[in-house]
Amino acid sequence: MPKTTRSKLETRIGFGWDSHAFKPGIPLMVGGVHLAYDKGLGGHSDGDILLHAITDALLGGIAGPDIGTLFPPSDPQWKGADSVIFLREALKRVAEAGYGVANLDSTLILNAPKIGPHSAAIRARVAELMNIPVDSVGLKAKTPEGLNHDGAAMAHVVVLLQRTKKKPALRRA
Ligand code: MG
């Protein structure tokens, strides 16, 4: 039988992944930042692959339900939703589990637009949303060489969670 007691881990790791297809004429949102481009990422929400992958990484870190379970694509209330809502729910659940975010690292895979010129803005926005220092937000971008994925963008994210709640002090008689 698996143990039913709560984990006493001081740190936990979480991993998240997401992909969306490019569609013409919609805004491109990456990490809560609007990037000027003639296409955006389609999806039931605003299609922000980076925030979706971060959200799933946070939820995975506490072995919680995934983003699609909490915010089903079939539910019309999430159509065009700001993905910051999803991220905030995941952060709330992480805090309730007694953890905070130590750092995160991410890799975006897309052919265009180039992420380099927007990297500082994306890292700053993600850091702000997560209430962590900018140097705790890693962001790398790769082109999908040999993958034939020109029409889509992908995001991979790992987060490290650190226990925040203090243990009760030992009382001596
Ligand atoms: Mg998504």
Side-chain angles (χ1 to χ4, degrees):
M1 287 286 287
K3 285 186 181 178
T4 53
T5 51
R6 293 188 69 143
S7 155
K8 301 279 196 304
L9 293 172
E10 287 300 313
T11 57
R12 303 179 64 112
I13 195 164
F15 170 75
W17 180 91
D18 195 30
S19 79
H20 285 280
F22 279 106
K23 285 183 182 163
I26 59 172
L28 175 58
M29 298 298 297
V30 178
V33 176
H34 177 236
L35 307 187
Y37 193 52
D38 61 347
K39 286 176 266 185
L41 293 167
H44 69 292
S45 64
D46 62 6
D48 192 323
I49 46 164
L50 183 54
L51 293 193
H52 293 182
I54 294 172
T55 297
D56 253 351
L58 291 168
L59 294 169
I62 55 168
D66 64 18
I67 187 171
T69 304
L70 292 179
F71 306 99
S74 55
D75 188 336
Q77 73 169 304
W78 307 123
K79 188 169 168 55
D82 182 347
S83 296
V84 170
I85 296 167
F86 309 153
L87 179 67
R88 292 216 164 109
E89 175 64 24
L91 286 168
K92 192 184 99 187
R93 286 171 181 253
V94 166
E96 284 168 356
Y99 290 86
V101 178
N103 74 309
L104 75 88
D105 189 21
S106 64
T107 300
L108 299 175
I109 302 159
L110 73 174
N111 234 352
K114 291 287 173 214
I115 293 299
H118 308 289
S119 179
I122 294 170
R123 289 178 62 222
R125 179 64 178 144
V126 169
E128 180 187 31
L129 289 170
M130 301 185 70
N131 199 24
I132 56 176
V134 175
D135 70 0
S136 295
V137 179
L139 175 66
K140 308 171 301 295
K142 317 276 291 179
T143 52
E145 305 280 335
L147 291 177
N148 196 22
H149 276 198
D150 291 359
M154 288 163 272
H156 296 251
V157 170
V158 287
V159 297
L160 187 69
L161 306 179
Q162 207 157 30
R163 185 171 278 284
T164 50
K165 284 196 178 139
K166 291 199 178 87
K167 290 173 189 153
L170 283 178
R171 284 204 180 163
R172 293 182 188 222

